[in-house]
Amino acid sequence: MNIETKLTSFLGKEIKDATKKELYDALRNYVYEQIQDRPLTVGEKKLYYISAEFLTGKQLGKNLINLGIYEEVNTLLDKNNISLSEVEALEPEPSLGNGGLGRLAACFLDSIATLDMNGDGIGLLYHFGLFKQEFQNNKQFETPDAWLKDNAAIHKTNISFPVSLAGETYQSVMYDFDVIGYKKGHTKLHLFDLESVDESIVKDGIRFDKKDIKKNLTLFLYPDDSDKDGQLLRIYQQYFMVSNAAQLILQEQKQLGHSLRDLDKYVAIQINDTHPSMIIPELIRLLMLEGMTMKEAADIITNTCGYTNHTILSEALEKWPLEYLNEVVPQLIPIINGLDFATVCAYHNNPHLSIIDKEHRVHMASLDIHYSHSTNGVANLHTEILKNQELRSFFKNYPYRFNNKTNGISFRRWLMHSNPELSSYIDELIGETWKENPYELERLFYFYNDEGVLNRLEQIKYNNKVRFANYIKEKEGIEIDPNSIICAQIKRMHEYKRQQMNALWIIYEYLKIKQGILPPRPITIIFGGKAAPAYIMAKNIIHLILTLEELIEKDPEVNKWLKVVMIKNYNVEVAEKLIPACDISEQISLASKEASGTGNMKFMLNGAVTLGTLDGANVEIRDLVGQDNIYIFGRNSQEVINLYNTNGYHSIDFYNGSESIHRSVDFITSEELSKHGDYTLLKELQDNLKNKDWFMTLLDLESYCGVKEVAIYDYENREKWKRMMLSNIARAGFFSSDRTIYEYNNDIWHLK
Ligand SMILES: *Cc1c(COP(=O)(O)O)cnc(C)c1O
């Protein structure tokens, strides 16, 4: 039956007479049927990718692409004067992730399916996800994100396991989310939940009783852990996730008739960051219940598990007090103590290698490294820093366990779906083989001197700016000039990512315009990102940005030349709309702090030029495109690490030592700006910049302003800029997550 007939029968009426919502439901049903017709990928060995986050984005459009019917459906709806993208917009975006790490997990599932690998994801079903971000009085407020209501991408199964939490048994429910690959492959994301969770206990924003585990367990991703109850709740969540995962894995293996002594032969488990680390002691515990000794079980689990490290920020490396673990998961304590004792004996009490430290805290990453056969970083620089600095003692002990897997992104979502015009133009130029072999994008270099092609790239960028301007006008009533240069910094709000440095550039530029020094054309600076609800400084940075936005908007002298936009509730949908419209990709983290970044790759693939530090995967972008096709500024990672090691950075010296830094920082509490904001918050931020500035904003500020100016003037050299765009797109093939997953499989999982 063809699609039109099928849709008409779902609708019970003609397509042209259906509402968008009816069409959305019909298409969703149609896609679901098509997915069920595709056999699940099988194989001798199976991967389980365990992650607290999967930031999947909306499913309908991506599934239509992967089924190979997007164009057909688009044309069909077009004929009936209906826009497919407006229908897609009706799907609530799953709020199962926080940022890059969760988005990576989603791209990985897409690639695992596309490469037809036998691998499932395992995580939790958070009813309200992270939170929804709103702005009031130029400040962030959090509300529950009720994305589950009306979302039919998720299907309840009859699989359920008992999980013991603080001595009480809770019965889980497993929900499944289908993941289909491009043209082939079909796997699952399994999300565990608890029936007794009660959404009505959330009051007054996102507050709820943190002690009521039965009702709160899976309400939110990353509930506030600034107090003990919050930390206990995180442990409850983590154990609930891994206990279900462990039981599912062992059940599937038993059903296949495999001996659990051969687990490492049939199963690979990838631990995405430290949140799922308790799967190690949990599996060892379960294998011991099957009659193995701790040593036997630990050896098997070590050979089964791999661990991915995502950060070197020590505050982000989880360390749970043994006492808290004892409260929530007493059944794991003998195992954790046993594993710790074994390492203490083996490594002569070396404190750098211990699992439990002197303060009786359990270092989850240490547990992972000792009891897995692979530890990987997520970009070359990050892995080198792990080996030579942060995890040096571990690296000396297990040099062969450390490896790098530079992150990647799914080109289905981040080019084919998000930028259809560029994607089909590439097809026209070099054919479609790049979709299976992304390195083929290099063939675009044939057109490096082809004026027609270069102009068309420029035109597509302009069209995407118009598309984005319309979207943001409709959604938030904000006007954006498609003839302006669009610079974007969209990512979680964090001091190490240095949105505050961009804000200081805005002040610097504002003051220049006030003096009559105008840029060559209007500039639009776009921010998007959520701050963790308890992270005061990140919230103060949002406040500064929103306050600047208002000040500039109301100043007719400046608003012709400079526009600041902080988009609320940044998520995958916003990213997909904005990235194709962007000219300058701001990747300005303090060198050594951003493990990889994946936003940087999305921008590059869509023809934006990076303005960044030599951090994370920016280094690899620079190596691929060459110095001439990227704007690099600031201190490098070794210089930064040396400053930390010698306590050599004092922000006040930079404040006192430069007239322009001084003026920009002072402006934060000026009368003009305070009129639009909250003086106390602005003062707190300013004091921090002058007296602490842990992530060294002022260190790189002058270099940043200088290089940003060069980029803004280079933009006027259109011939040069268009070639830079082409070079960035053509060299982006390396960043396909298909390449990343291929490497994980070759080096770590060995599925086939
Ligand atoms: C890609 C992506 C991120 C990660 O961005 P970085 O710049 O790498 O931190 C975060 N959130 C969303 C919605 C994304 O799509």
Side-chain angles (χ1 to χ4, degrees), residues 566-582:
M566 172 104 203
I567 297 177
K568 69 167 189 274
N569 204 44
Y570 172 54
N571 60 9
V572 177
E573 175 184 336
V574 173
E576 283 197 58
K577 297 276 202 266
L578 170 56
I579 289 170
C582 168

Side-chain angles (χ1 to χ4, degrees), residues 712-722 724:
I712 284 165
Y713 276 88
D714 276 359
Y715 185 85
E716 299 307 316
N717 183 348
R718 299 307 299 154
E719 295 319 305
K720 173 179 171 153
W721 195 271
K722 286 181 261 183
M724 286 171 75

Side-chain angles (χ1 to χ4, degrees), residues 55 93 98-101 103 414 490-492 496-497 570-573 575 579 587 594 596-600 602-603:
L55 190 51
E93 176 170 324
N98 163 37
L101 176 152
R103 185 53 232 172
W414 297 108
I490 47 173
K491 45 185 78 245
R492 285 304 301 268
Y496 87 77
K497 293 181 182 273
Y570 172 54
N571 60 9
V572 177
E573 175 184 336
I579 289 170
Q587 308 299 336
E594 185 73 88
S596 163
T598 50
N600 46 4
K602 301 167 196 166
F603 283 105

Side-chain angles (χ1 to χ4, degrees), residues 454-501:
L454 294 172
N455 289 341
R456 181 73 188 277
L457 288 179
E458 182 181 44
Q459 184 65 43
I460 291 172
K461 181 63 78 182
Y462 179 81
N463 295 346
N464 285 327
K465 288 182 177 186
V466 172
R467 204 162 61 106
F468 176 70
N470 291 336
Y471 167 77
I472 209 69
K473 175 91 211 314
E474 173 129 338
K475 190 160 168 262
E476 301 197 21
I478 296 169
E479 307 243 10
I480 284 176
D481 174 4
N483 286 306
S484 64
I485 305 184
I486 297 189
C487 307
Q489 189 176 13
I490 47 173
K491 45 185 78 245
R492 285 304 301 268
M493 300 300 298
H494 202 293
E495 286 166 280
Y496 87 77
K497 293 181 182 273
R498 298 198 293 190
Q499 284 95 349
Q500 69 276 25
M501 189 162 74

